[in-house]
Amino acid sequence: MTGIETRSVSRDSLFLLAEVRVEQNSETHKVRVRNLSDGGMMGEGNLRVMRGHRLAIQLRNVGLIAGTVAWVQDNRFGVAFDEEIDSQLARRPLQADEDPGLGLVDRSWVHRAPAPVAPSQLRKI
């Protein structure tokens, strides 16, 4: 392997969950998305797919995406999307009105770290 990057599309390393459904199957699987670009993604999970399988992927803030499995290695697989997406949307947090169960919580300052002790108050041992 050389250290030269041969990809034509930049990708983001991240960790988020997506729901994946293999075409011709009604069952959905949760997978971890390890890399995401506008043209594809690398997923990881207990999902048996083979190169060429068609997938329907539900990504937060992006929606439903169709794609084809490009490669498989152990429990990881690469997907080439049928159409480009805005991959930066998936990095943005969900809005509270999009999913009421994920409403924002006000920050609490009750559990703050104590103030540092002045050096003159420290005991020497």
Side-chain angles (χ1 to χ4, degrees), residues 12 16 36 38 59-63 85-94:
D12 295 323
L16 62 94
L36 181 66
D38 292 351
L59 277 176
R60 77 170 187 205
N61 294 337
V62 176
I85 64 165
D86 182 357
S87 58
Q88 293 302 313
L89 288 175
R91 286 187 163 276
R92 295 183 186 152
L94 285 174

Side-chain angles (χ1 to χ4, degrees), residues 107-122:
R107 203 174 273 194
S108 171
W109 296 106
V110 173
H111 302 288
R112 287 190 193 180
V117 178
S120 62
Q121 295 179 333
L122 294 176

Side-chain angles (χ1 to χ4, degrees), residues 20-34:
V20 175
R21 185 176 55 81
V22 179
E23 199 170 67
Q24 308 299 329
N25 190 344
S26 61
E27 187 177 357
T28 59
H29 303 272
K30 291 206 184 270
V31 299
R32 290 176 291 280
V33 178
R34 294 293 187 174

Side-chain angles (χ1 to χ4, degrees), residues 13 19 24 29 44 49 52 72 81 85 91 106 114 121:
S13 291
E19 291 185 354
Q24 308 299 329
H29 303 272
E44 178 182 56
V49 293
V72 178
F81 298 148
I85 64 165
R91 286 187 163 276
D106 289 334
Q121 295 179 333

